[in-house]
Amino acid sequence: MTHDEIKAKVAEVLETALGCDEDEIVDDASLTADLGAESIDFLDIVFQLEKAFSTEAAPFKIDQGELFPEGIMDNPDWVQDGTITDQGMAMLSERMPHVDFSGFDGSVSKVGDLITVGALVSFVERKLQAAAA
Amino acid sequence: MRWMWIDRIVEHDPGARLVALKNVSLAEEHLHDHFPDTPIMPAALIIEGVAQTSGIMVGAVNAFTEKVLLAKVAKVQLDRDAQPGDTLRYTATLDRIDDAGAATAAQVHLRSNEDGSDWECIGEVNLMFSHADQNMSGLDLPEENFVFGDNFRAILSASGLRPETV
């Protein structure tokens, strides 16, 4: 599947799950800050991505915490005084290779904004490539 | 029985499908105001009935141990009004479920109960449910399962689905 085909399917999922317009779905649009996604929408998006990219031969399954690591706030090694620590940043970079961290100031309140349309497309693309390897 | 918007569960295929009936009655007080000369079952209460049908189906997957909360109304289409004397049938199917929650799809059928009338599909309602204990850590939720309380127990029991663990 080409990059453009993946992008088109991801856009279709976002239009359905978030009720947003096609022209709002651009690479750097944040799902939460720009497209208004709430926490339950992420579960909706995950379910719809699984359905959209699964085939009979190769089920596409997204594990809980795979798109976005869980329990970040509760770990003092990762978060101190409302800011992601160096150790936390290393963990995020390792577990979220689909995310572009340039411009991220480490503020915990902005972690949720890191998932952009482009990050979601990259996430799907990496998973499909890994499954095909 | 307050706030039960289904009357009977008529089919249950665990983890796949649950069907419930709702008889619309002129004795329901809200129909007197909605509307005075034209009583119509409020669409919001049809959605609530579908949510109860779908929520029971989702809850049964984990033997009613999870607190299953309606989290998102993903899609609603209702093409015809339901009036006193009509029967509504909600057929819920389980689309997806995991530790965090579930997605369901339901069809709404109506039978007007006039001579020879048959079921007519009048719409669909797709919902998302959250397993509250898995998603709201930090919130002070009660230990007991407040979702599947006394009202639900009664209808589950009448349908042979009594949740022993609640």
Side-chain angles (χ1 to χ4, degrees), chain B residues 10-78:
Chain B
V10 290
E11 277 182 58
H12 182 219
D13 180 1
R17 178 179 136 99
L18 193 133
V19 185
L21 298 180
K22 159 69 185 162
N23 290 308
V24 182
S25 165
L26 198 51
E28 296 171 55
E29 281 190 25
H30 57 274
L31 292 188
H32 302 169
D33 298 317
H34 189 280
F35 298 94
D37 295 324
T38 316
I40 291 166
M41 171 88 172
L45 294 180
I46 295 180
I47 297 169
E48 175 62 26
V50 172
Q52 293 180 356
T53 306
S54 308
I56 289 171
M57 172 181 65
V58 172
V61 171
N62 292 303
F64 301 101
T65 53
E66 293 283 357
K67 299 179 181 91
V68 177
L69 299 185
L70 176 62
K72 179 175 177 177
V73 178
K75 178 186 176 184
V76 175
Q77 181 177 340
L78 293 169

Side-chain angles (χ1 to χ4, degrees), chain A residues 16-18 40-41 43-44 46-47 50-51 54 60-62 64 74, chain B residues 71-72 74 95-103 128-130 134-135:
Chain A
T16 310
L18 303 178
I40 191 66
D41 293 318
L43 185 61
D44 194 2
V46 163
F47 282 164
E50 287 180 346
K51 201 189 280 185
S54 280
F60 188 82
K61 176 83 182 98
I62 301 169
Q64 207 169 341
D74 304 329
Chain B
K72 179 175 177 177
D95 197 8
R96 280 281 205 277
I97 187 165
D98 70 9
D99 290 346
M128 297 281 308
F129 291 88
S130 175
Q134 316 272 355
N135 294 298

Side-chain angles (χ1 to χ4, degrees), chain B residues 79-130:
Chain B
D79 298 329
R80 182 177 158 180
D81 293 327
Q83 299 171 320
D86 292 345
T87 304
L88 290 163
R89 187 177 71 195
Y90 308 136
T91 303
T93 52
L94 190 60
D95 197 8
R96 280 281 205 277
I97 187 165
D98 70 9
D99 290 346
T104 63
Q107 282 195 323
V108 178
H109 286 80
L110 180 145
R111 187 167 65 191
S112 66
N113 293 318
E114 290 166 13
D115 284 349
S117 67
D118 208 349
W119 291 107
E120 176 192 350
C121 183
I122 63 161
E124 50 188 302
V125 179
N126 298 344
L127 304 172
M128 297 281 308
F129 291 88
S130 175

Side-chain angles (χ1 to χ4, degrees), chain A residues 99-118:
Chain A
V99 164
D100 176 9
F101 288 95
S102 60
F104 176 57
D105 64 3
S107 168
V108 165
S109 61
K110 292 182 182 162
V111 171
D113 300 347
L114 287 169
I115 303 288
T116 60
V117 173

